[in-house]
Amino acid sequence: MFNSASRYISVLPQKAFLLLGVLEKYVNAAAMQMGRIERSKQAIDRSESTKEIPALFLDVHFFFSCIGVVDDALGKLATTLSDAQLKKIHERLLLIFNRDIRNAFEHVAGMVVRQGTIHDFFNMGGDVLTFDGKKYPVRKADVAKLRDLYKEVITIIQDDYAMKNAHFA
């Protein structure tokens, strides 16, 4: 769990500080959700019952919601600070996580109405979620990459903002 954003309250403009806090909270939440996803998958593997499947669906849904907030907060932080390094980190985030799935989750009812049917309705197989013929990885390794990207964000904030601020203790 990260708990470092609060150190930069006197270093960053208020909007950037708040965005950094949101980013940190949702990186932590995504990591926690991955733990829940893994536990749900193990429970399903141990049981012949399907009662755990709705929990897995909800865990995956919230995981991708967290990634969506991370995407939004990191993009806005990079823009707010006009920071090219943060923008590159944001671009790397988008190479790891496809933002289409969050949109699909958020607008699934509209998709059903528009299309009349969805042939592949949120299926999990191993570390891959499929929906409407598209595959979306749900891997612990990607959460490790997410955490590494956040560490890079903190390093940039520390080196390029905090260390250049006389009020930073």
Side-chain angles (χ1 to χ4, degrees), residues 139-155:
R139 299 181 292 235
K140 286 186 344 185
D142 290 341
V143 172
K145 291 176 188 175
L146 174 65
R147 293 173 59 80
D148 289 344
L149 291 176
Y150 183 72
K151 289 175 190 175
E152 289 181 44
V153 168
I154 290 299
T155 298

Side-chain angles (χ1 to χ4, degrees), residues 22 32 45 47 52 59 72 77 167:
V22 168
M32 289 175 11
D45 288 345
S47 171
E52 291 88 1
D59 290 337
D72 192 39
L77 178 63
H167 302 290

Side-chain angles (χ1 to χ4, degrees), residues 7-152:
R7 293 185 63 214
Y8 303 105
I9 190 167
S10 64
V11 173
L12 296 171
Q14 183 180 18
K15 188 186 294 184
F17 170 71
L18 294 172
L19 287 166
L20 182 64
V22 168
L23 177 62
E24 181 174 273
K25 283 175 180 51
Y26 280 88
V27 166
N28 286 336
M32 289 175 11
Q33 272 314 107
M34 182 53 69
R36 290 178 59 104
I37 290 167
E38 290 299 315
R39 286 189 298 279
S40 290
K41 287 178 8 184
Q42 289 169 2
I44 290 168
D45 288 345
R46 286 190 309 266
S47 171
E48 291 183 19
S49 169
T50 59
K51 68 180 183 176
E52 291 88 1
I53 292 173
L56 177 60
F57 170 79
L58 294 173
D59 290 337
V60 171
H61 178 273
F62 188 64
F63 172 77
F64 282 112
S65 293
C66 291
I67 296 301
V69 174
V70 167
D71 168 21
D72 192 39
L74 181 54
K76 287 180 174 154
L77 178 63
T79 300
T80 298
L81 293 174
S82 299
D83 192 297
Q85 292 178 90
L86 293 176
K87 184 172 176 22
K88 287 182 182 178
I89 292 172
H90 183 235
E91 290 167 359
R92 289 175 31 223
L93 173 77
L94 296 177
L95 293 174
I96 300 167
F97 297 103
N98 184 326
R99 56 170 56 143
D100 293 346
I101 188 60
R102 179 173 184 237
N103 208 26
F105 272 119
E106 298 301 319
H107 302 288
V108 67
M111 290 176 74
V112 169
V113 169
R114 277 191 310 281
Q115 295 179 7
T117 185
I118 297 175
H119 301 287
D120 179 15
F121 195 74
F122 298 117
N123 294 298
M124 273 303 280
D127 291 339
V128 176
L129 170 78
T130 61
F131 175 72
D132 203 24
K134 295 179 184 168
K135 295 180 180 183
Y136 303 93
V138 184
R139 299 181 292 235
K140 286 186 344 185
D142 290 341
V143 172
K145 291 176 188 175
L146 174 65
R147 293 173 59 80
D148 289 344
L149 291 176
Y150 183 72
K151 289 175 190 175
E152 289 181 44

